Structures are given as C-alpha cells and as structure tokens.
Amino acid sequence: MSIRNLHILILVSVAYVAAQMVADISNLRDLTLFGLSVSAFSIAYPLTFTLRDMAHKLAGPYVARTLIIAAAAIYLVVQAFFTIISNLPPEMTPDERIALGQLLTPEWRFLAAAVLASVLSQLVDTEVYTRWVQRFGGEHQWGRVLVSNGIGIPLDRILFLVLAFAGTMSTEGMVEAFIGTTIVRLVFGIISIPGIYLVEEHSEDWIHITEIRHTDPPSFARSKGD
C-alpha cells in the first residue's frame, strides 16, 4: 500500500468511528422524514456501512473486521465514561443531575443490543462484500456496496429490535418499527454509495496480512547493533 492510500485508510477509519459516535449522539433527536417518524440516528448510521466498505476496499477484510471490533470497543468505553461522569457530584440541582444521568446512561439491555447488532451486521456486511469481490472482481463497485448495505442495514435493525424488545413489544409493533426506520436508513445508505469510488482497491500484499509478524527486519536489526 502506498503512503497516500495508508493516509486515506487512516482518515476513513477515523471517519467510521466518528460516524458511529455521531449516530449515537444524534439518537437523542426525533425527526419526521418521508412521512415516517425516525431518530436522527438513521441519517448518520447508514454512512458507517459505506465507510466500512471503503476501508475494506483499501485494506481488505482483515482490516475491516478489526475496525468493526475496535469501533464497538470504543463505543463501550464511551458509554462507560458517560455512566461514570453522570454519577459524579455535579454543580447542579438534584433534579438536573437525575436528568443528566438519564440522558447519558442508556438501558444496558439496549446498549448490549445496539453493540451486538452493529458488530454482527457489519461482519455480515464484510462477508457479503468479500463474496461480491470474489465473484465480480473490480467490476460493478456500486453493486458491492448496494448489496452488502442492502443486507447489513436491515439485519442490524432486525437484530436490535429482537435483542432489545423481545418479550416487551408485540410482533406487530416490531414490524412497524422495522419498516419505517429501515426504509430511511436504506435511502441514506444508497445516497452514500458513490463514496466507494473515492478510494483505490487494496494491493495484493494485503491479502497476506495474516502472514505478517511483528519482528524487526534483518537490516533494521543489524543497524541497531552497529
């Protein structure tokens, strides 16, 4: 990989994690789009699937999977931090403190559901993207994003609803919550498809990334001993 592409990969990776955080924060805002009631989360979150595809294109599936797990870990650390600071003595009234705690501290079932749904759906997105590239190579790049996002985005919503609301929400209620939100997310996922053309295909050496060992090359080892 060239230095230029490495820099782009870093930018895409940072943007992926940032989009995850922005989506989480924007979940506090409810909107009406296309006649459907959704949270602002549904605008930012679909972008993460295309950013994952861009990282996959730049560096292959191993890096994409690492990015997915790293983003989930960062998300959990952020939520743990919010939980801690919401319980620290603030310069505010007791009522304000309670309101802040409710705002920053999610229900742990919802948090676990969100993390598991995101990780599993993005890993499935990675596999679908990989299969598409194996089948079509460098052709129809829009298709690899459309198909992987078209599977990953609805899967994320299904997993979240089942994990978060099974036993507390009726099947009809979950179907209604699935349809509206998924339509909006797919629309914004489609809008983000051109992003895949902004990055180059990863070089063949990234396919063998699992063979890399973190040891000093002989020349560097000799230079240290001189």
Side-chain angles (χ1 to χ4, degrees), residues 35-58:
L36 301 170
S37 178
V38 297
S39 74
F41 179 92
S42 297
I43 298 176
Y45 186 62
L47 180 60
T48 65
F49 285 86
T50 299
L51 286 168
R52 190 226 61 84
D53 290 343
M54 293 169 67
H56 191 148
K57 183 181 178 183
L58 277 164

Side-chain angles (χ1 to χ4, degrees), residues 109 161-171 174:
R109 180 178 178 180
L161 289 173
V162 171
L163 293 172
F165 296 106
T168 63
M169 181 184 290
S170 67
T171 302
M174 285 197 284

Side-chain angles (χ1 to χ4, degrees), residues 1 44 47 79 83 125 158 164 211:
M1 172 178 284
L47 180 60
Q79 291 296 336
T83 299
D125 185 288
I158 291 173
E211 300 173 8

Side-chain angles (χ1 to χ4, degrees), residues 27 38 53 67 74 78 112 158 178 181 204 223-224 226:
N27 195 39
V38 297
D53 290 343
L67 184 58
I74 292 172
V78 170
I158 291 173
F178 168 79
T181 299
E204 290 298 315
S223 66
K224 291 196 298 183
D226 292 342

Side-chain angles (χ1 to χ4, degrees), residues 198-212:
L198 299 177
V199 297
E200 299 178 7
E201 200 79 55
H202 65 83
S203 57
E204 290 298 315
D205 57 331
W206 280 83
I207 297 176
H208 306 290
I209 194 169
T210 54
E211 300 173 8
I212 297 176

Side-chain angles (χ1 to χ4, degrees), residues 143-207:
R144 64 175 77 169
V145 182
L146 178 63
V147 173
S148 62
N149 287 8
I151 293 175
I153 289 175
L155 178 61
D156 175 89
R157 186 59 176 166
I158 291 173
L159 290 172
F160 174 76
L161 289 173
V162 171
L163 293 172
F165 296 106
T168 63
M169 181 184 290
S170 67
T171 302
E172 292 78 10
M174 285 197 284
V175 170
E176 182 179 351
F178 168 79
I179 293 175
T181 299
T182 302
I183 290 174
V184 173
R185 292 184 184 183
L186 286 173
V187 168
F188 284 97
I190 291 172
I191 291 173
S192 68
I193 286 177
I196 197 66
Y197 293 99
L198 299 177
V199 297
E200 299 178 7
E201 200 79 55
H202 65 83
S203 57
E204 290 298 315
D205 57 331
W206 280 83
I207 297 176

